[in-house]
Amino acid sequence: MAKRIQFTRTGGPEVLEFVDFTPADPGAGEVRVRHQAVGLNFIDIYVRTGLYPVPSLPSGLGTEGAGVVDAVGDGVTHLKVGDRVAYAQGPLGAYSELHTLPAEKVVSLPDEVAAETAAASMLKGLTVQYLLRQTYPLKGGETILFHAAAGGVGSIACQWAKALGVKLIGTVSSSEKAALAKRNGAWATIDYTKEDVIERVRELTGGEMVDVVYDSVGKDTWETSLDCLKKRGLMVSFGNASGPVEGVNVGILNQKGSLFLTRPSLNGYADTRERLEAMSEELFSMLASGKIRIDISHRYPLADAGKAQEALAGRLTTGSTILLP
């Protein structure tokens, strides 16, 4: 027997239950991981509330973790029992002591990267990798706008952008978060609770506006983001923290300057084992070199996953939050 978080109905944090369960033995092509740390992400809230439907109920939760291989199924050759590993994709169930998942979604963790660091950065770090290195391949010298720059993804993006020689303008909701984003390498910050984001972007860029906007907020920032782009700029909508963008007439992209729009996801980029390994290797290299440092600001016992999600949804956190089995 082991412990896990599950839910039998969608809703608020109160639907999460801390229960005993029997972990599945790994089948062909699978491994079982004994977690040392589990990642907490906004997508977990989308799943819990029903925005992203689950295959069936009751359901586990979470897709990111790090630990040690506990058992290996037939046909798995790149991993063995005792290997240090991490993952950011796969079937729901990472909010647990033990989790069985396809081996192709699991990567070896180098000694230079701690399990807690991996659990706090795999999903967020791979997200930043595809955003900055693939969705819009930044070369250096660009000016970009990144919403929620003091959050888990934003904190990594600030550091990665600085390492690339990119001017990142980050939106934040307080002076404390502004200071954090600047420490992480943001070129400039905008407190959207006090400042007009569009006007500040215009001031900061001398009227040029930005090459690309990375927007994980969704509904509340949609039009603001479009208005911060220069002609033929790229709008990257990669999250729905305020709710999904709906009812959009694509003609608005023409009206605002022949803009480009994409709605990417990690699964759309790390769609083969080879791509996942290449992306992970670049992330681990950035972590090992110290160019990216992971601020684990909050650690919660696995049993308190609901409290952790409340803090995340209420924007009461900075950096990364992890759950400890």
Side-chain angles (χ1 to χ4, degrees):
M1 297 292 286
K3 290 285 191 179
R4 78 166 184 170
I5 294 288
Q6 70 173 31
F7 61 104
T8 57
R9 59 189 174 90
T10 57
E14 70 280 355
V15 305
L16 299 182
E17 306 168 318
F18 188 52
V19 300
D20 292 318
F21 83 113
T22 302
D25 291 328
E30 294 183 329
V31 296
R32 189 169 63 208
V33 178
R34 181 174 296 278
H35 290 136
Q36 295 171 327
V38 174
L40 178 78
N41 298 285
F42 233 103
I43 193 173
D44 304 339
I45 297 174
Y46 300 157
V47 172
R48 186 204 73 212
T49 59
L51 179 62
Y52 291 176
V54 299
S56 62
L57 293 171
S59 173
L61 191 60
T63 61
E64 177 183 43
V68 176
V69 174
D70 175 75
V72 176
D74 291 340
V76 177
T77 59
H78 69 285
L79 296 171
K80 64 181 184 303
V81 172
D83 281 355
R84 300 179 69 247
V85 294
Y87 64 90
Q89 303 165 281
L92 295 173
Y95 283 25
S96 62
E97 293 176 340
L98 291 163
H99 186 37
T100 301
L101 70 163
E104 66 179 8
K105 300 296 186 182
V106 180
V107 296
S108 296
L109 188 62
D111 292 339
E112 297 82 5
V113 180
E116 287 194 0
T117 298
S121 64
M122 276 295 287
L123 182 58
K124 302 174 187 69
L126 292 177
T127 296
V128 174
Q129 197 283 337
Y130 82 70
L131 290 174
L132 303 192
R133 305 289 286 147
Q134 298 187 72
T135 304
Y136 190 103
L138 295 167
K139 307 296 184 184
E142 299 93 343
T143 302
I144 67 176
L145 179 67
F146 207 101
H147 288 294
V153 173
S155 294
I156 296 174
C158 287
Q159 297 176 73
W160 209 319
K162 184 178 181 180
L164 291 171
V166 171
K167 292 181 176 179
L168 183 148
I169 303 170
T171 67
V172 295
S173 60
S174 69
S175 58
E176 292 80 11
K177 290 187 175 184
L180 174 61
K182 291 297 286 290
R183 287 197 301 273
N184 281 326
W187 175 65
T189 59
I190 302 172
D191 184 341
Y192 64 83
T193 68
K194 301 175 182 177
E195 301 174 282
D196 184 303
V197 173
I198 300 167
E199 289 307 311
R200 279 293 289 144
V201 168
R202 184 171 287 112
E203 292 172 11
L204 289 165
T205 62
E208 291 292 318
M209 311 310 278
V210 300
D211 298 284
V212 56
V213 174
Y214 296 100
D215 190 334
S216 62
V217 179
K219 179 177 64 176
D220 290 354
T221 51
W222 166 251
E223 290 231 20
T224 294
S225 293
L226 296 181
D227 287 335
C228 288
L229 285 164
K230 61 178 58 173
K231 285 185 178 181
R232 297 175 299 281
L234 175 64
M235 170 67 173
V236 182
S237 177
F238 70 101
N240 316 289
S242 67
V245 177
E246 298 176 333
V248 174
N249 182 341
V250 296
I252 195 172
L253 302 175
N254 172 48
Q255 297 163 15
K256 293 184 180 292
S258 295
L259 304 177
F260 293 87
L261 166 67
T262 184
R263 179 57 173 90
S265 68
L266 177 58
N267 287 338
Y269 280 86
D271 56 345
T272 67
R273 172 148 196 87
E274 292 73 23
R275 290 175 67 89
L276 172 61
E277 287 185 338
M279 293 167 66
S280 299
E281 285 174 7
E282 185 172 10
L283 171 62
F284 294 152
S285 176
M286 296 293 284
L287 292 169
S289 69
K291 292 179 180 178
I292 293 177
R293 298 183 184 277
I294 303 302
D295 173 26
I296 303 176
S297 301
H298 307 275
R299 293 172 172 83
Y300 288 84
L302 180 60
D304 290 340
K307 294 179 181 178
Q309 288 193 355
E310 280 187 294
L312 181 63
R315 299 188 181 184
L316 303 178
T317 65
T318 58
S320 296
T321 300
I322 59 173
L323 304 173
L324 300 176

